[in-house]
Amino acid sequence: MKPAEGPAASLLGDVGAVFRVSIGIVVIFVIAAAIAPEAIRRVAQAILHATATNIGWMYLLVTTSFVGFMLFLAVSRFGTIKLGAADDPPEFPFASWLAMIFSGGMGVGLVFWGVAEPMMHFNQPPLGAGLPRTADAAQSGMRFAFFHWGLHQWGNFALVGLAIAYVRFRHESHGLISETFRSLLGDHVDSGWGKAIDVLTVVSTVFGVATTLGLGALQINSGIARLAGVPYGFSAQFVIVAIIGGLFMVSAMTPLDRGVRLLSNANMLLAAALLILVLAFGPTSFIFGVLTQTVGEYLGNVLQMSLVTSPYSTGAWVEQWTLFYWAWGLSWAPFVGSFIARISRGRTIREFVLGVMIVPVALSMLWFATFGGAAIHFEIYEHAGIADAVAKEVPAGLYVLLEQLPGGTILTVASIALVGMFLVTSADSATFVLGMFTSKGVLNPTRAVRLLWGTLQLLMVVVLLLTGGLESLRAVSIIAAFPFMILMILIAISLYRDLAKEIAAQDAKARLLEARIERLLMRESEREAAEKSAAEVHPTVPEESNMQEQVDSDKKGEEKGTGS
């Protein structure tokens, strides 16, 4: 198809069918949700219930399999393969690389749920086991918080990121999800099948990122409400989204190595400062006790928790929590995975997997132990009212916790700033990735494409908040994630086939080299043996011996004749 010409084409760059179809789907949803928000909410809830009831088990089984698959790649021979040429150095320093992974990953989610999830489980124990607001409820709540923010979430990101990084930097292919299917589909990737895969990826990414941005808007609204008395509701959240949109558009105007990188480093510094202050001024010994015990319980029960479906109960706890988290991670995976892939040239597969899965998981556990553990301590021993605050308004728990510490107001302002910076980083990174997906995989999409996707992202957040806030964000995440989960299964199969082929090619090359060396050594040994044989018995020796025998025979004959 001949590319479009004119001013629009020059602004947008090389876009095609994936761009147009994806834009169309998102615009139609935004318009429908704006016109009939209540109808969209009812439909979403109905689809959510059917999904959780009939195929919820698949989310649990598949995400657990992804964790095992990624760890296997890291510890096996595949781990030595480099994402790029043999002499490619890492594009970013290790510390900046980890900071961008963490900021682009689940930074907003950690701030939102760091206090909220443990306290919600404290109010309503997981799976209905135990009494509310007891020590048992607190410990089981911490264990499931570690589980929901542990290996499974980052396993999703690592799989997609590794698959894209491999085809992009090892095969010098486009950085598209469809390219990861070339091992399975061959040249069909370049036809309608590949475009359908990329459209599905874009739509899933838009909903996943919108969920995170919506959670961030709720968190900021709750903090401002406590500081300035601004009402907690849609109007304030709309203004917050608009301000975040303006800030991220400024960031989008800067190159990746300056804008997102500098914001990511600033995020990490502010998050680390907040974490250290809560550790220092909070119940430090209690926090480390919670961390130690919960890590042990997590490692001892991770397989059992991974496969809990509660089929003998009519409760919806698994649907509301584990399924939501896994679906959120799946729908967030194209964005986070693509962004991580973009910044990971020069890393080995082992370094990539351990950097993406182990380090962020360890930091997430420390975060939850610090904020969730401190909240539980103040609630149990000082009756701080954090549990009641969370029951009334989910994001408020963080600010009630900070009020228990010296300089609580300053800490509240810092936490609001941290969420805002995480939102700007996430929005900027997401529009960058969406631009790549819809611009045929180019590493640097045009600013016009990035700004267009940023605007649509913000509109999506607004309509999701309009249709029901947190409930709608949860429902849409689970629904949008299912088709991409199927794609991720195929991505894992295709990636393994590619890696197996490369290892087989390396083995064949090694065998060929070994055979050549053996032949060279054999020729050398044969030459040496011949020289040795020649030195021991010269070829002229037998001839001289025969001549001497002939002379001796002639002499004997002459003597015999004379005697007669």
Side-chain angles (χ1 to χ4, degrees):
M1 181 180 293
K2 184 179 179 180
E5 298 178 355
S10 62
L11 282 174
L12 298 176
D14 188 14
V15 297
V18 174
F19 175 81
R20 292 189 290 271
V21 174
S22 302
I23 290 287
I25 292 173
V26 173
V27 168
I28 289 172
F29 180 86
V30 168
I31 293 174
I35 294 174
E38 184 58 28
I40 293 295
R41 188 191 68 80
R42 288 197 302 269
V43 171
Q45 290 296 328
I47 297 175
L48 168 63
H49 180 70
T51 300
T53 301
N54 297 306
I55 54 177
W57 57 270
M58 187 180 294
Y59 285 88
L60 307 181
L61 195 60
V62 168
T63 51
T64 303
S65 300
F66 290 158
V67 173
F69 177 63
M70 295 311 299
L71 293 177
F72 162 72
L73 293 183
V75 301
S76 67
R77 287 183 60 196
F78 299 128
T80 61
I81 296 175
K82 196 171 190 179
L83 301 175
D87 57 348
D88 277 350
E91 185 175 0
F92 297 97
F94 188 72
S96 293
W97 181 62
L98 290 178
M100 286 191 280
I101 290 173
F102 197 71
S103 297
M106 305 300 285
V108 174
L110 286 175
V111 179
F112 185 91
W113 293 107
V115 172
E117 181 175 354
M119 295 311 300
M120 292 176 76
H121 295 329
F122 183 69
N123 287 335
Q124 296 180 336
L127 301 170
L131 298 175
R133 303 194 179 190
T134 60
D136 289 340
Q139 188 55 46
S140 63
M142 288 299 303
R143 183 173 68 250
F144 272 96
F146 274 40
F147 169 61
H148 289 148
W149 293 86
L151 294 172
H152 289 67
Q153 287 284 22
W154 291 93
N156 294 329
F157 306 154
L159 172 59
V160 177
L162 178 59
I164 295 177
Y166 180 79
V167 298
R168 179 68 187 88
F169 300 128
R170 198 70 176 175
H171 292 173
E172 295 296 330
S173 184
H174 295 298
L176 298 171
I177 295 291
S178 58
E179 285 294 331
T180 66
F181 285 79
R182 194 169 290 278
S183 177
L184 292 176
L185 300 180
D187 291 338
H188 292 294
V189 167
D190 302 317
S191 64
W193 286 104
K195 291 179 174 59
I197 290 170
D198 289 329
V199 168
L200 185 59
T201 299
V202 170
V203 174
S204 177
T205 302
V206 169
F207 282 108
V209 174
T211 300
T212 298
L213 298 180
L215 293 177
L218 296 177
Q219 186 71 60
I220 292 176
N221 186 188
S222 178
I224 295 176
R226 299 191 70 84
L227 286 176
V230 175
Y232 181 81
F234 175 75
S235 298
Q237 292 155 16
F238 177 82
V239 174
I240 291 168
V241 170
I243 294 173
I244 292 297
L247 293 174
F248 109 79
M249 288 182 183
V250 172
S251 176
M253 293 296 99
T254 61
L256 179 67
D257 61 349
R258 291 210 303 269
V260 174
R261 179 184 174 183
L262 292 177
L263 273 175
S264 298
N265 290 338
N267 287 344
M268 289 298 291
L269 290 174
L270 184 54
L274 193 62
L275 180 72
I276 292 171
L277 288 172
V278 175
L279 269 173
F281 296 116
T284 307
S285 178
F286 182 86
I287 288 170
F288 281 108
V290 168
L291 175 64
T292 303
Q293 179 169 328
T294 311
V295 166
E297 292 189 3
Y298 168 72
L299 294 176
N301 295 278
V302 62
L303 185 60
Q304 178 185 358
M305 292 188 293
S306 299
L307 303 176
V308 168
T309 58
S310 62
Y312 309 111
S313 171
T314 59
W317 189 91
V318 175
E319 172 187 320
Q320 292 172 351
W321 286 102
T322 305
L323 284 188
F324 161 65
Y325 274 122
W326 288 184
W328 183 18
L330 289 167
S331 60
W332 191 244
F335 151 57
V336 180
S338 299
F339 182 72
I340 294 173
R342 169 64 181 83
I343 62 177
S344 297
R345 180 193 285 271
R347 307 285 176 185
T348 64
I349 288 179
R350 180 170 296 121
E351 185 180 10
F352 179 94
V353 172
L354 296 180
V356 173
M357 290 184 66
I358 304 303
V359 176
V361 168
L363 292 175
S364 298
M365 289 180 174
L366 178 60
W367 186 276
F368 269 89
T370 300
F371 287 86
I376 289 172
H377 178 275
F378 284 118
E379 182 64 25
I380 291 178
Y381 297 107
E382 300 184 20
H383 308 289
I386 301 175
D388 290 334
V390 170
K392 181 180 179 182
E393 182 184 303
V394 174
L398 172 63
Y399 305 115
V400 179
L401 166 64
L402 296 179
E403 289 172 359
Q404 313 306 311
L405 305 173
T409 302
I410 297 175
L411 295 177
T412 297
V413 173
S415 66
I416 294 173
L418 177 62
V419 175
M421 292 168 62
F422 271 133
L423 286 180
V424 173
T425 306
S426 298
D428 192 0
S429 305
T431 54
F432 189 92
V433 169
L434 290 170
M436 287 197 303
F437 284 163
T438 54
S439 300
K440 302 181 180 179
V442 298
L443 284 180
N444 294 293
T446 65
R447 290 176 177 175
V449 169
R450 294 174 64 185
L451 292 176
L452 178 58
W453 276 116
T455 302
L456 289 175
Q457 283 280 123
L458 298 176
L459 291 175
M460 178 68 76
V461 175
V462 170
V463 297
L464 288 178
L465 293 173
L466 183 64
T467 56
L470 184 57
E471 286 188 5
S472 292
L473 294 173
R474 278 177 161 172
V476 169
S477 288
I478 295 175
I479 296 167
F482 179 73
F484 192 73
M485 178 177 67
I486 303 301
L487 291 184
M488 284 182 63
I489 296 173
L490 299 177
I491 287 173
I493 295 172
S494 182
L495 175 62
Y496 180 79
R497 290 184 61 176
D498 271 339
L499 296 176
K501 287 179 182 178
E502 177 159 346
I503 291 295
Q506 290 179 2
D507 289 343
K509 185 177 180 180
R511 287 194 298 270
L512 179 61
L513 180 61
E514 183 180 353
R516 288 178 176 175
I517 293 174
E518 286 181 355
R519 285 197 296 271
L520 290 174
L521 293 175
M522 185 177 297
R523 290 173 184 171
E524 180 68 19
S525 62
E526 289 176 350
R527 186 178 65 81
E528 291 177 354
E531 291 178 351
K532 182 178 181 181
S533 175
E536 291 176 352
V537 183
H538 196 276
T540 61
V541 172
E543 295 179 1
E544 294 176 354
S545 176
N546 291 338
M547 290 177 63
Q548 184 64 40
E549 289 177 2
Q550 183 64 39
V551 170
D552 293 340
S553 177
D554 290 343
K555 287 182 176 181
K556 289 180 180 179
E558 291 177 354
E559 292 174 355
K560 186 177 180 180
T562 304
S564 59

